[in-house]
Amino acid sequence: AALERVRAARYDLIVSDIRMPAGDGEAFYREAVAAQPDLAGRFLFITGDTANPGAWAFLQSARIAVLEKPFKADELLAAIARLNP
């Protein structure tokens, strides 16, 4: 559903979990960026999956901003501000 929305409208920022019950954050990112290449620098992933080396390798190789769970509202706002200077 999120990918359909990305294909239909322009977004200033995408905040997504890396692991989702009905999807994969990495696949969502790749397809969203294929649809709208300028989204590449406007993604913020949130994750509690800090022990997964595959997820971290993807995040680091793609140079995607990440915020580890749990986090406070001011940490989320600061992460967003870093993406939109």
Side-chain angles (χ1 to χ4, degrees):
L3 189 54
E4 290 175 22
R5 289 176 184 238
V6 167
R7 289 181 177 141
R10 184 186 179 290
Y11 289 88
D12 294 327
L13 172 70
I14 303 288
V15 178
S16 176
D17 203 318
I18 194 76
R19 301 283 174 240
M20 298 172 275
D24 174 272
E26 181 177 349
F28 172 55
Y29 170 82
R30 293 187 190 284
E31 292 188 47
V33 169
Q36 291 187 40
D38 59 323
L39 282 176
R42 298 195 324 258
F43 247 85
L44 173 62
F45 273 109
I46 56 173
T47 186
D49 195 9
T50 58
N52 183 327
W56 282 109
F58 158 68
L59 293 167
Q60 290 178 334
S61 69
R63 305 180 95 204
I64 302 168
V66 63
L67 185 60
E68 292 182 61
K69 296 179 197 175
F71 55 85
K72 296 180 180 178
D74 61 329
E75 294 170 317
L76 175 61
L77 295 174
I80 291 169
R82 286 190 296 273
L83 289 174
N84 294 305

